[in-house]
Structure formats: C-alpha cells, structure tokens
Amino acid sequence: MRFIPAAFAASIAGGALAQPSSPLPDAQGRYTLEAEGIKAQFIPYAATLTNLWVKDKNGVQRDIVLGYDNTSFYPVDPGHPVYNAIPGRYVNRIGNGQYSIDNVTYNTQKNDGPNTLHSGTNNWSFRNWNVSKVTSKSITFSIYDASNSSLGMIGGVTASVTYSVSKNKWSISMDAVSNDQKTPIMLTQHTYFQLDAFARPDNRTIWNHTLYMPEAKRVMEIDGNALPTGVIANISKNDISDFWSAPHQLGFASGNAGFENNCGNGCHGYNGNWAFNDKRNKKKPALTLSSEWSGIKADLVTDQDAVVLYTCNWNDGKTEFKSTQGVTGQDKFIPRDGCIAIEAQDYVDGINHPEWGRLGKQIFGKGQKYRWESSWSFGTI
C-alpha cells in the first residue's frame, strides 16, 4: 500500500482524487507535473512548490528552488521561511499591525517587530489546502479562510491557486473572492530561487546571479524594519536599486557603503518592493534572472504592478539544501545570501497608503473577485 503522510490525507479524502486517471502523490505526498524541459512537484501544505527541475546550458537537470527532502518538515520548521508557498490573505507587511476600512480600525498580529508579516502566524502558508483538481500537467489547490482566523483578517474568503506546466514554462493563477464584507486581499507565489542549485563549487551566494527589470524604475523607500515609508522614489542609473538601466549582478553594489542596512537594520542586500511602469506591456517579461555559471535563465511575466525581492540575508548557514542540489564532497548548508525570493504582487502596505491609489486593488467587498496571474519561462543564455 502506498504511504501518504497524514498531513496530506485530508486533501486526498473527500473525492479530490476520484478520477482514476488522476496522478497520485508519491510517498512524500508530492504531486508531480511534467512537460518538455520542466518537472515540478507540489504538496497541499501551503500549496507549496517543493522541487523545480530545468536543464542548464550543459543539459544537466537542476532543481532550482529551495525546500526540504522530507516534506513533513515544512509544517514544523520553526523558522518557517515560506518556501515557494502561498501566504495570505494579505502578503508582506502591514504597518504597525493595523489597517482601516470605512473608518473602522482592525488590529493584526505583530509577528515582525512592530509590523504584521503575511497576515500573522496562522496565514495561508501555515495551512493544508484542498486538492480540487489534478492532472499530469496541472493541479489546483483551494482554501476557505474564515473571518478572523488570522487576527484582524475580517470576513470569509474563498481562494484557489492553479499550477500548470508546458514546454519550459511554469504558470500560476490565483483567484479569491470576499464572501461577506470588505477585507484586504493581496497574494503572491513566494518563490526562492538558486539557479545554480548550490552546485557551483566556488560560490554558493546569489551575488553572481544577474537580474534585469527594465520596467522597474521606482522603488518603495523603507524604514529600519523594511516597512515602506510612503515615499516611492525614482531609481537613477547605477543606484543600489538599479536593475532597469542594464542587467546587473545582484552583488554589483555590494562595495557601496549603503549596501549594509539597505534592506533594514542589520540587513544587507535587498528586501524591498519595486514598482513597474504603469504603461508596460504585461505580456512581456517584467523580470529576468540568470546565472552565467549554470546558464539558466528565468523570465517572469506577470499581471502584477510590483515585485518584492529578498536576497536571503537572514539565513544563518545552519539549514541544509536538498539532496537534489549541491556538489559531491562539500557540505550541504545554505549560506547567508544564498538565494533570492521573488514575489510578484501589488504595493506593500498599500492599504495604509491611500495616496498611492491602490485600495481598489487591495480591498474587496462582498462578491468582489481578486485575480493574479504569472508565469516563469526557462531557457539558457
């Protein structure tokens, strides 16, 4: 008999896999989707992508996202880094743990210093989602979020995410609806990349990866706790935040004095929110991440108006990467600055900045629908 971990049993029960032709999860509870040039695996916990294989410039398959070999560790890791998961119902930071709708103030859990991060410690990345539909090339996870199940997130919300693969491409779509009253909704796929799969023998950091965002000419200034101050600044050429004027290695500004504390107190590198140009073509890549060593290139197409980049500053060097990664003869620990999280979304803390004009994209009343679409296309440089 196939072993299925208890954490995923509920999603399999109740007819989720009633169709005989639907693929079953493996012994670790992972559902596998495959197409030419790509293989992706997912679990119901947090609607998480656990593994993503694409070919490098030499034709070697590389697993290019962070995660764990043992899927039972996702729910119990005390650090809870939100590896390739769906947090919600409102992602990233809420300033001072509060927001207001129609002159009523709601208090949220302060789990990130003075602020709320990803809606607190019972957000959607801590929950098992239901498997609504699965084929060999797509899977849909769904969730019902009851009012106040995350402190201050009022009103019921029903949501789903569909992952699919096609030739060299991973596509993601998310839908949510407010069931009974106005509530914040802002989602993302919180993907952690390492395009070398930690196999580069002389350097495991992300600083040698190259980033290009030609349509991202503005950035939200942040305070010492990585919360936007309200100022959206234009980015000049060769500024620390400049990835629009030309492709730059992520470490290109590491010699600048401002690189230290650039992403908050005690944080070097990046942990901020870039705004895309208003009139960009949303069918073209908004962002390209590449690595000269592996030759892998990843293009992001998204309907979102901003992106959060986080270069893994807080990694303590004690967490192991997966057995599908690394190089024989070296240790298996992820170094500080060893990865980059890329999170397409709307403006961080926009519910507390009405001057930005984002309330219509972040607050949804009864019956109003939220939609999010992005895709990653993979190739070589």
Side-chain angles (χ1 to χ4, degrees), residues 69-347:
D69 285 327
N70 189 335
T71 57
S72 66
F73 195 57
Y74 286 88
V76 299
D77 178 4
H80 194 79
V82 198
Y83 280 156
N84 322 317
I86 307 295
R89 73 180 71 172
Y90 190 88
V91 299
N92 216 283
R93 288 167 177 82
I94 298 175
N96 301 310
Q98 63 179 35
Y99 66 93
S100 297
I101 296 178
D102 295 337
N103 297 316
V104 177
T105 297
Y106 299 92
N107 294 306
T108 54
Q109 180 188 4
K110 294 181 179 180
N111 63 322
D112 185 57
N115 306 312
T116 299
L117 182 62
H118 297 320
S119 302
T121 57
N122 191 36
N123 74 69
W124 298 357
S125 70
F126 286 87
R127 306 188 201 177
N128 283 306
W129 293 50
N130 295 314
V131 179
S132 301
K133 184 179 180 181
V134 59
T135 71
S136 61
K137 287 185 169 52
S138 70
I139 188 166
T140 298
F141 297 105
S142 60
I143 192 169
Y144 172 70
D145 188 26
S147 181
N148 217 42
S149 56
S150 290
L151 180 65
M153 295 289 108
I154 43 87
V157 168
T158 302
S160 66
V161 54
T162 296
Y163 299 122
S164 59
V165 295
S166 55
K167 183 179 179 181
N168 299 320
K169 187 176 182 179
W170 171 39
S171 299
I172 313 133
S173 64
M174 287 186 271
D175 293 282
V177 61
S178 172
N179 295 326
D180 39 45
Q181 66 185 95
K182 289 183 181 179
T183 189
I185 302 176
M186 183 166 73
L187 304 178
T188 192
Q189 220 298 332
H190 199 290
T191 320
Y192 283 85
F193 286 106
Q194 225 291 350
L195 298 185
D196 297 337
F198 299 108
R200 179 172 176 160
D202 61 332
N203 193 330
R204 292 183 190 165
T205 72
I206 205 70
W207 303 134
N208 292 317
H209 283 38
T210 297
L211 184 68
Y212 186 39
M213 301 192 295
E215 299 286 352
K217 297 183 179 182
R218 295 169 295 154
V219 68
M220 284 73 167
E221 293 186 358
I222 59 173
D223 65 16
N225 293 298
L227 180 75
T229 64
V231 176
I232 302 177
N234 292 322
I235 304 169
S236 59
K237 288 185 178 181
N238 297 317
D239 180 84
I240 288 176
S241 298
D242 172 28
F243 295 100
W244 69 265
S245 68
H248 281 141
Q249 287 192 341
L250 285 164
F252 85 101
S254 59
N256 296 15
F259 199 71
E260 295 297 325
N261 301 314
N262 183 55
C263 49
N265 295 332
C267 176
H268 69 203
Y270 301 98
N271 188 14
N273 194 197
W274 280 252
F276 295 130
N277 296 337
D278 293 334
K279 296 182 179 180
R280 71 183 178 91
N281 184 342
K282 293 185 177 181
K283 294 184 179 180
K284 291 185 176 181
L287 177 157
T288 298
L289 181 70
S290 62
S291 166
E292 184 177 0
W293 184 83
S294 67
I296 295 172
K297 178 183 72 168
D299 289 321
L300 172 67
V301 173
T302 182
D303 65 354
Q304 297 299 290
D305 291 332
V307 66
V308 168
L309 306 176
Y310 167 54
T311 51
C312 300
N313 171 82
W314 298 118
N315 196 289
D316 61 5
K318 298 178 181 178
T319 302
E320 292 188 350
F321 47 75
K322 291 174 285 187
S323 61
T324 54
Q325 300 171 328
V327 58
T328 301
Q330 292 190 355
D331 68 67
K332 297 182 178 180
F333 294 102
I334 303 168
R336 184 185 187 192
D337 315 318
C339 54
I340 181 170
I342 300 179
E343 311 157 46
Q345 58 182 78
D346 203 62
Y347 293 19

